[in-house]
Amino acid sequence: MSSSVGREAQSEIYRAGVAGRRPRVPVGAAELERAAQRRMSRAAFAYVAGSAGLERTAQANLDAFRRRRIVPNVLRDVSARDLSIELFGVRRPTPLLLAPIGVLELARRGGDALAARAAASLGVPAVLSNQASQPMEEAAAAMDAVQHGASRWFQLYWSSSRDLVGSLVDRAERSGCEAIVVTLDTHVLGWRPRDLALGYLPFSRGLGIAQYTSDPVFQELVRERAARGARTATTVTPAAVAAFASILRHHPGRLRDNLRSGEPLAAVETFLDVFADPSLTWDDLAFLRERTRLPIVLKGVLHPDDARRAVDAGVDAVQVSNHGGRQLDGEIAALDALPAVVDAVGGRLPVLFDSGIRGGSDALVALALGARAVAIGRPYVYALALAGEEGVRELLRNTIAELDITLGLAGARSIGEVDASLLA
C-alpha cells in the first residue's frame, strides 16, 4: 500500500473538517466504544463488549499493549513506506485481517455482508464467522460485487457432527475462501456475566446460526429431530413469545410455513447440541487435512508447546489469541504470549495475532513482536453499529493510516524492517 496512505487519510479528515463535517465514527477507541453503546441495545452491546468472568483477561490484553514502548530511530529516509506483507503465497497490501465475529446483526442488519464489503474495498481479508447472521455464500457474493476474488477466509467451529464439519469446509472452498481458521478455544462456552445477567444467548433466539440453517447436512439433522417431535418445555411468558417470534423470523423460508413447521425450534435445539466438540484432540486435525487443500490456521494458540505441536501437525499457521478475553478469565494476555509462540515456531510457519488491537500503533507493536498479520475485532463492530459499511471502511482506513504514520515515525520503511529492536 502506498506510503501516502496516512497523509491522505489525515488530509481527507481535515479538509472535511474545514467544511464542518466530522468523521462518521469516533477516531479514538474509547469514544468509539461509548458511542456504540449508546446506539446498540443493552443485550447487543453486552454480547459484543462483554468478556469472561471479572473480565481480567480482556483488561490484560489492553494493559499488555500499554506496557510496550516504541523507541524510534531518527534521521532515516522514510519518504517511501511499504505496508505490504506476504501470507500464504499472496502479496497483501496491509498486515490487517478482519476478525471473525458472530451475530453481527446485533450491530446492524446485514452486518456480515456490510463488514465484508468494507474489507474488500481496502484489500483486507475478511475471516467469515462460523456464527454469522448470513450464509457465507451471501458474504462472498457481496465481496465479489466490490472486488472480484476479494480475499476471504472461513472460521470453523468444530462441531460434534463430523459430517457437518466436512460440509462447512466444502462450502467454504466453493465460496472462494482462501484458508480455514479453526477456533480452538470455544469447545466450552465461556462464563460471561454480562450475558448471564440478562439471560441472553443470541443463538437460543435463532440469531447467528445462518451458516447452520443454510447447510444441507444441518438441515437433515433438523428434519430428523423435528420428525421425532422432541420439544423443550418452556413457560409461556411475553419474553418466551418474543424469543419464539425471533426464531421464526430468522429461520429460512416463509413465516407462514415456519409457524406450521416444527423445524425452526428444532434448528435451535440441534445447533445447541452440535455446536462444539469438547472431545477434540490433535489427532482430529488429520480429518481436516484430508478434507481440504486450503491453508489451515489454528486460532487460540497461547502455549509454546502447542505451537510446536501445530508445526508437527502440518498446519499452515497459528494465531495467538485469547478470543478477546471472552472465554477464560485470568488468562495470559495474548500479546504477552506472542513472543514465546514466535520463538517456538522458529519461522517454520507464520504467526498471526488478535486480541487487544485498538489501532495502528497496537498493530505495529504486535508485528514487532513477531506477528505476520493482525486481526481487528470489536472496534469494527462498533463502527458497523454507528455507520454500517461506511463506518467499517472508515475504521479500517484509519487503522491503516495510523499504522503507516507510526511506521514512519518509528524510523522504518516497510513492515519487513519491523522487529523487536523497535521496542523498549
Side-chain angles (χ1 to χ4, degrees):
M1 183 161 283
S2 133
S3 64
S4 62
V5 62
R7 187 174 66 183
E8 287 172 357
Q10 285 179 324
S11 298
E12 183 178 340
I13 293 171
Y14 290 139
R15 281 197 302 269
V18 171
R21 298 191 302 273
R22 299 292 182 265
R24 292 181 181 88
V25 297
V27 177
E31 293 81 4
L32 174 63
E33 182 172 346
R34 286 194 293 268
Q37 183 174 14
R38 291 192 294 269
R39 178 68 59 87
M40 300 170 73
S41 72
R42 183 184 178 195
F45 183 77
Y47 182 79
V48 174
S51 292
L54 298 176
E55 303 194 348
R56 289 172 294 191
T57 303
Q59 187 60 50
N61 285 335
L62 302 180
D63 291 343
F65 280 100
R66 292 190 183 103
R67 289 196 303 271
R68 266 67 180 196
R69 293 290 181 268
I70 297 170
V71 184
N73 289 290
V74 298
L75 292 177
R76 295 189 175 187
D77 181 359
V78 293
S79 57
R81 299 184 298 280
D82 180 9
L83 298 182
S84 69
I85 63 163
E86 185 173 324
L87 183 58
F88 300 145
V90 177
R91 197 72 192 174
R92 304 178 189 275
T94 79
L96 298 186
L97 308 170
L98 200 71
I101 295 183
V103 207
L104 285 179
E105 66 186 293
L106 292 175
R108 174 89 43 161
R109 181 176 297 180
D112 295 282
L114 296 174
R117 283 174 56 86
S121 70
L122 293 171
V124 173
V127 186
L128 307 180
S129 171
N130 204 142
Q131 300 310 131
S133 298
Q134 296 173 266
M136 64 184 85
E137 292 83 359
E138 290 185 13
M143 297 184 77
D144 283 338
V146 175
Q147 176 65 50
H148 184 70
S151 180
R152 59 255 187 183
W153 305 358
F154 179 66
Q155 174 206 34
L156 176 67
Y157 280 2
W158 200 295
S159 167
S160 60
S161 166
R162 190 64 65 93
D163 290 341
L164 179 56
V165 171
S167 182
L168 289 169
V169 171
D170 291 345
R171 289 172 59 200
E173 289 190 346
R174 292 195 300 270
S175 298
C177 292
E178 299 175 358
I180 303 296
V181 182
V182 185
T183 296
L184 303 175
D185 55 8
T186 50
H187 52 290
V188 175
L189 186 64
W191 184 260
R192 300 175 187 171
R194 294 202 211 188
D195 296 334
L196 291 164
L198 299 173
Y200 185 77
L201 182 67
F203 316 124
S204 65
R205 290 159 169 80
L207 284 70
I209 61 173
Q211 305 292 21
Y212 298 82
T213 55
S214 60
D215 190 273
V217 170
F218 184 81
Q219 289 167 358
E220 181 59 31
L221 293 174
V222 170
R223 283 191 290 268
E224 292 172 359
R225 188 183 192 107
R228 294 196 299 269
R231 293 288 184 273
T232 300
T234 303
T235 303
V236 178
T237 65
V241 171
F244 179 60
S246 175
I247 291 170
L248 295 178
R249 286 198 310 272
H250 288 87
H251 193 77
R254 297 187 306 173
L255 181 61
R256 179 184 301 176
D257 296 334
N258 288 343
L259 273 169
R260 290 196 296 262
S261 168
E263 290 190 5
L265 274 177
V268 170
E269 294 164 352
T270 302
F271 164 76
L272 295 173
D273 280 350
V274 305
F275 160 68
D277 183 2
S279 69
L280 194 68
T281 70
W282 288 96
D283 293 338
D284 293 306
L285 293 177
F287 168 81
L288 185 58
R289 183 74 288 168
E290 293 167 1
R291 190 83 192 202
T292 183
R293 295 182 180 179
L294 294 179
I296 296 172
V297 181
L298 297 187
K299 179 178 181 291
V301 174
L302 295 168
H303 199 294
D305 289 348
D306 288 337
R308 283 184 279 268
R309 291 203 67 171
V311 173
D312 295 341
V315 302
D316 301 278
V318 296
Q319 187 159 336
V320 174
S321 166
N322 58 28
H323 217 97
R326 291 172 60 77
Q327 280 296 92
L328 178 60
D329 193 30
E331 196 171 13
I332 185 173
L335 192 71
D336 289 337
L338 178 60
V341 170
V342 170
D343 288 346
V345 165
R348 291 172 289 179
L349 49 77
V351 177
L352 315 181
F353 178 86
D354 73 74
S355 299
I357 298 286
R358 293 295 182 268
S361 61
D362 288 344
L364 187 73
V365 168
L367 294 166
L369 290 176
R372 179 77 60 87
V374 298
I376 306 295
R378 287 183 177 98
Y380 88 79
V381 185
Y382 300 147
L384 177 68
L386 292 171
E389 179 182 339
E390 288 303 316
V392 178
R393 184 179 295 112
E394 191 168 292
L395 183 281
L396 290 174
R397 180 207 64 179
N398 292 348
T399 305
I400 294 168
E402 186 187 3
L403 173 60
D404 172 57
I405 290 169
T406 306
L407 181 72
L409 289 173
R413 292 163 296 188
S414 70
I415 299 299
E417 293 181 0
V418 173
D419 60 28
S421 67
L422 282 179
L423 303 180

